[in-house]
């Protein structure tokens, strides 16, 4: 009998995990649409699994609509009877898609390919319709919350850093370290097995060598006078996609295969004015379901939207920042919104499965509107 979706997971195995290089908006991946980016990793994940999935689930925030997951599945050459679903939990969309896919598999579905995609470069322009004599009004993003609580992410991160006592110096030092870690990881080939080249691009564009805290200290505040958040200690605007293949643990194709077992997942809401903190209760809920503590974790991947925001979350969870994002995070690699949560899981797969760095891993991300998603995995061989 299939189990209810809310029950603890024991039977969902991530057996494949791939991503595109992460491009800077307007640069080398600027001509590749969201569906085309997604098709690349959907095809790669399905090939790695060794069979077509029963369903493709992709997160996306700013694409053209029309069910990007379905377009990507068809563009990837999957059979027409493979169902597809696009989900939007803003920046948490990719990780939420994997959570949903894992719960479906654990409840008795067939194999699932899940992940996320974003092409900031090709995102369509959006307009509110005309009202009376007023012309159509172009807007950059949809509302995150009712108007009174709809705070921009940069401003909310700046206010959060101030409220949590995260200094400008600490933010700049952390951002510089993220770039240094990413540059070193790329040089030693850590990303090679997880990246699927796109249009001849095979490496992430954003990481910068020699980006020191002293250089970052020269940037002015970006979101409010006297603030501490700058373009230097914030993520970029990026293009990219990531996907994982999920099999039932009882499937013959999964038996004896190195994989990540999904043992806990949660999506939680908080007050929309401080969305960056939302990953904190999500992490606590996911770890509770998994029955693990921070001390048990071998690999930790948090989305680094803003240095101040992620440092505030580390502090709240009593996580030493030196333990997290050890090959760099979104500050260096980039933040392709709908894909970023799935990128975190690809990074877990590389470190825990491909490199054998331990047993337990955690991925977590916050999203506009005050939501957070977290996923806990266990290595099985």
């Amino acid at each position: 009998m299939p189990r209810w979706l809310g029950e603890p997971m024991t039977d969902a195995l991530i057996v494949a995990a791939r991503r595109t290089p992460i491009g800077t908006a307007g640069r080398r991946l600027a001509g590749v649409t969201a569906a085309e980016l997604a098709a690349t990793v959907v095809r790669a994940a399905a090939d790695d699994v060794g069979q077509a999935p029963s369903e493709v689930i992709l997160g996306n925030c700013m694409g053209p609509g029309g069910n990007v997951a379905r377009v990507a599945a068809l563009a990837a050459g999957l059979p027409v009877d493979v169902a597809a679903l696009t989900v939007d939990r803003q920046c948490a969309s990719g990780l939420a898609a994997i959570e949903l896919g894992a719960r479906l598999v654990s409840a008795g579905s067939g194999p699932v390919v899940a992940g996320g995609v974003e092409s900031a470069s090709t995102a369509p322009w959006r307009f509110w319709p005309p009202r009376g004599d007023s012309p159509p009004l172009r807007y950059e993003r949809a509302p995150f919350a009712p108007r009174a609580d709809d705070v921009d992410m940069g401003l909310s991160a700046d206010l959060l850093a101030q409220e949590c006592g995260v200094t400008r110096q600490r933010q700049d030092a952390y951002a510089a370290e993220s770039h240094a870690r990413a540059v070193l990881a790329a040089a030693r080939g850590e990303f090679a097995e997880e990246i699927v080249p796109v249009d001849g691009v095979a490496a992430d564009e954003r990481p910068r060598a020699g980006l020191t805290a002293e250089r970052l200290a020269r940037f002015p505040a970006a979101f409010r006078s006297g603030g501490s958040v700058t373009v230097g200690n914030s993520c970029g605007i990026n293009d990219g996609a990531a996907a994982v293949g999920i099999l039932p643990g009882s499937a013959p194709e999964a038996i004896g295969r190195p994989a990540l077992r999904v043992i806990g997942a949660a999506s939680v809401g908080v007050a929309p004015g401080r969305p960056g903190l939302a990953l904190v209760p999500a992490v606590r809920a996911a770890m509770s379901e998994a029955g693990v503590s921070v001390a048990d974790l071998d690999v930790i991947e948090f989305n680094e939207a803003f240095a101040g925001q992620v440092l505030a979350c580390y502090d709240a969870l009593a996580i030493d920042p030196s333990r997290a994002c050890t090959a760099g995070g979104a500050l260096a690699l980039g933040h392709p919104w709908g894909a970023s949560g799935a990128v975190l899981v690809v990074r877990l797969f590389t470190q825990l499965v491909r490199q054998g760095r331990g047993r337990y891993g955690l991925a977590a991300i916050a999203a506009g509107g005050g939501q957070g998603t977290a996923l806990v995995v266990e290595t099985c061989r």
Side-chain angles (χ1 to χ4, degrees), residues 115-127:
V117 62
E118 205 70 59
S119 173
S121 295
T122 65
W125 288 2
R126 300 183 177 195
F127 293 85

Side-chain angles (χ1 to χ4, degrees), residues 68-160:
V68 172
R70 175 62 172 171
V71 180
L74 294 173
L78 297 184
V80 295
D81 61 353
V82 174
L85 172 69
T86 302
V87 300
D88 182 356
R89 191 169 271 147
Q90 290 299 297
C91 296
S93 299
L95 191 55
I98 294 173
E99 176 191 2
L100 177 58
R103 293 201 184 278
L104 286 173
V105 168
S106 192
S109 83
V112 170
V113 168
V117 62
E118 205 70 59
S119 173
S121 295
T122 65
W125 288 2
R126 300 183 177 195
F127 293 85
W128 295 115
R131 289 188 176 184
D133 295 330
S134 299
L137 178 65
R138 183 184 174 193
Y139 60 98
E140 296 295 327
R141 64 166 178 83
F144 292 149
R147 185 173 300 177
D149 297 316
D150 193 14
V151 183
D152 281 339
M153 297 295 283
L155 176 58
S156 66
D158 202 317
L159 295 171
L160 177 63

Side-chain angles (χ1 to χ4, degrees), residues 13 46 48 84 104 107 221 300 307 324 345 361:
L13 298 184
D48 289 349
L104 286 173
I300 301 169
V345 181

Side-chain angles (χ1 to χ4, degrees), residues 255-305:
I255 295 173
R257 185 171 183 170
L260 296 179
R261 187 183 304 278
V262 179
I263 57 173
S267 291
V268 177
V270 301
R274 296 293 180 273
L277 274 181
L279 67 81
V280 172
V283 164
R284 290 173 176 153
M287 289 200 303
S288 176
E289 180 182 10
V292 302
S293 68
V294 168
D296 297 319
L297 299 171
D298 299 295
V299 180
I300 301 169
E301 291 289 334
F302 280 13
N303 187 62
E304 298 172 345

Side-chain angles (χ1 to χ4, degrees), residues 41-380:
V41 292
V42 167
R43 179 75 265 169
D47 287 347
D48 289 349
V49 170
Q51 61 180 294
S54 61
E55 179 122 23
V56 173
I57 307 173
L58 294 178
N60 180 250
C61 299
M62 299 291 288
N67 196 354
V68 172
R70 175 62 172 171
V71 180
L74 294 173
L78 297 184
V80 295
D81 61 353
V82 174
L85 172 69
T86 302
V87 300
D88 182 356
R89 191 169 271 147
Q90 290 299 297
C91 296
S93 299
L95 191 55
I98 294 173
E99 176 191 2
L100 177 58
R103 293 201 184 278
L104 286 173
V105 168
S106 192
S109 83
V112 170
V113 168
V117 62
E118 205 70 59
S119 173
S121 295
T122 65
W125 288 2
R126 300 183 177 195
F127 293 85
W128 295 115
R131 289 188 176 184
D133 295 330
S134 299
L137 178 65
R138 183 184 174 193
Y139 60 98
E140 296 295 327
R141 64 166 178 83
F144 292 149
R147 185 173 300 177
D149 297 316
D150 193 14
V151 183
D152 281 339
M153 297 295 283
L155 176 58
S156 66
D158 202 317
L159 295 171
L160 177 63
Q162 180 185 47
E163 292 161 3
C164 294
V166 182
T167 65
R168 166 71 186 269
Q169 292 76 16
R170 191 177 171 205
Q171 293 173 58
D172 288 344
Y174 182 84
E177 181 66 16
S178 183
H179 281 269
R181 290 175 176 182
V183 169
L184 179 60
R188 64 184 179 225
E190 179 162 336
F191 306 131
E193 288 186 77
E194 68 189 34
I195 289 180
V196 185
V198 178
D199 279 6
V201 181
D204 303 310
E205 286 190 85
R206 181 173 166 82
R208 294 290 179 268
L211 190 60
T212 64
E214 291 72 25
R215 289 180 62 188
L216 289 174
R218 302 171 189 169
F219 287 92
F223 300 102
R224 67 186 181 107
S225 177
S228 61
V229 176
T230 72
V231 295
N233 58 37
S234 304
C235 65
I237 298 175
N238 301 95
D239 306 325
V244 304
I246 310 172
L247 285 174
S250 58
E253 300 87 350
I255 295 173
R257 185 171 183 170
L260 296 179
R261 187 183 304 278
V262 179
I263 57 173
S267 291
V268 177
V270 301
R274 296 293 180 273
L277 274 181
L279 67 81
V280 172
V283 164
R284 290 173 176 153
M287 289 200 303
S288 176
E289 180 182 10
V292 302
S293 68
V294 168
D296 297 319
L297 299 171
D298 299 295
V299 180
I300 301 169
E301 291 289 334
F302 280 13
N303 187 62
E304 298 172 345
F306 303 91
Q309 170 259 332
V310 75
L311 286 167
C313 292
Y314 291 147
D315 291 349
L317 293 163
I319 291 175
D320 182 345
S322 68
R323 296 181 57 200
C325 302
T326 57
L331 290 167
L333 299 174
H335 180 12
W337 307 304
S340 292
V343 170
L344 301 178
V345 181
V346 174
R347 297 269 54 252
L348 291 182
F349 191 89
T350 287
Q351 293 168 87
L352 290 169
V353 175
R354 294 184 174 113
Q355 299 172 347
R357 294 192 187 178
R359 180 177 180 182
Y360 293 112
L362 167 68
I365 188 169
Q371 295 192 83
T373 298
L375 192 82
V376 181
V377 296
E378 179 182 17
T379 308
C380 53

